[in-house]
Amino acid sequence: MDEKIGATNANKAECSSGCKAACCCSSNGISKRGKIILCLIVAIAAVIVIAHGIIQKAEAESDMGQNPSDLSLWSEPAASLASLNQVAAQKDVFLYLPLTDQGPDDKIKDEIELAASKAQSQGRSIAFFALDQGSEDYGQLTSQVPAPFVLVINNGCNLSSVPSNITTETGMSIVSGDISEENLLYALVAASRPTAGCCSLPSTKCC
């Protein structure tokens, strides 16, 4: 009996002086080296789980940054086409030019948001903005096409300056008159065609 008690006390002493994890002390009959290996496996698995959680969180935050509502500035109109150059390098853009001296129409805004949501559900990245009515670009664009209209810009377009003729500019389409979700989506398809110029909607549906 005394020998068994002594052996038990020795095991406890060894456990407390070595690895303190439960994996070391609860596994009778496992050598010291085996216990160390087992502890290392548990520690590595814990690190993998933590790292996986960090990666998932980062991906979720990245996905949030692609939501159309995070890339729209209805309350802060775009100052110019050039100010959207960085966004348009990676995303399709709906640029709304409202009537002069009037704020953006809520109904048109809703149609733009619906079109952006539909396009994004199909795998496209969309941003949408209103153009500042006091900007020089607004005057140049509305001198070509009467407001209100939406300029649909395909991602990758160079917006460093206002095109001399937006109705024939490759990578852009115009939606005026009936500014609806359907017509905006048609225009988005038209703007995506590298060989097609602007398509003025709704008089024709680009196909």
Side-chain angles (χ1 to χ4, degrees):
M1 180 65 72
D2 292 340
E3 291 179 357
K4 290 182 178 179
I5 294 174
T8 300
N9 291 336
N11 287 337
K12 291 181 179 179
E14 179 183 354
C15 190
S16 61
S17 62
C19 177
K20 295 183 179 180
C23 60
C24 296
C25 303
S26 60
S27 303
N28 294 325
I30 300 178
S31 66
K32 183 176 181 181
R33 181 179 180 183
K35 292 177 182 179
I36 293 174
I37 294 173
L38 185 58
C39 287
L40 287 174
I41 292 173
V42 172
I44 292 171
V47 170
I48 292 173
V49 170
I50 293 172
H52 182 66
I54 293 173
I55 292 172
Q56 283 188 323
K57 182 178 179 181
E59 289 178 347
E61 291 175 351
S62 177
D63 291 341
M64 287 177 63
Q66 296 179 0
N67 190 300
S69 61
D70 296 330
L71 287 171
S72 64
L73 298 174
W74 293 134
S75 60
E76 298 181 24
S80 64
L81 280 181
S83 69
L84 301 177
N85 222 6
Q86 186 173 357
V87 175
Q90 299 179 346
K91 301 180 183 295
D92 300 308
V93 176
F94 291 139
L95 182 61
Y96 175 29
L97 285 78
L99 281 170
T100 306
D101 300 327
Q102 294 186 22
D105 182 89
D106 288 338
K107 183 178 179 181
I108 294 177
K109 286 166 54 178
D110 289 343
E111 293 297 321
I112 292 172
E113 291 178 13
L114 287 170
S117 179
K118 181 68 175 291
Q120 182 155 290
S121 71
Q122 297 173 351
R124 304 188 71 139
S125 295
I126 305 292
F128 45 89
F129 304 87
L131 183 62
D132 186 353
Q133 297 176 52
S135 68
E136 182 179 349
D137 287 4
Y138 179 90
Q140 292 183 29
L141 289 168
T142 55
S143 68
Q144 298 183 43
V145 178
F149 68 90
V150 176
L151 183 61
V152 181
I153 304 167
N154 186 47
N155 71 80
C157 277
N158 185 349
L159 303 180
S160 58
S161 62
V162 175
S164 58
N165 189 346
I166 58 173
T167 61
T168 60
E169 185 71 15
T170 299
M172 295 183 181
S173 293
I174 298 166
V175 182
S176 61
D178 182 12
I179 302 176
S180 65
E181 175 189 356
E182 180 183 13
N183 285 333
L184 287 165
L185 292 173
Y186 274 119
L188 185 59
V189 172
S192 302
R193 293 175 179 165
T195 58
C198 261
C199 174
S200 182
L201 297 173
S203 58
T204 57
K205 291 181 179 178
C206 303
C207 54

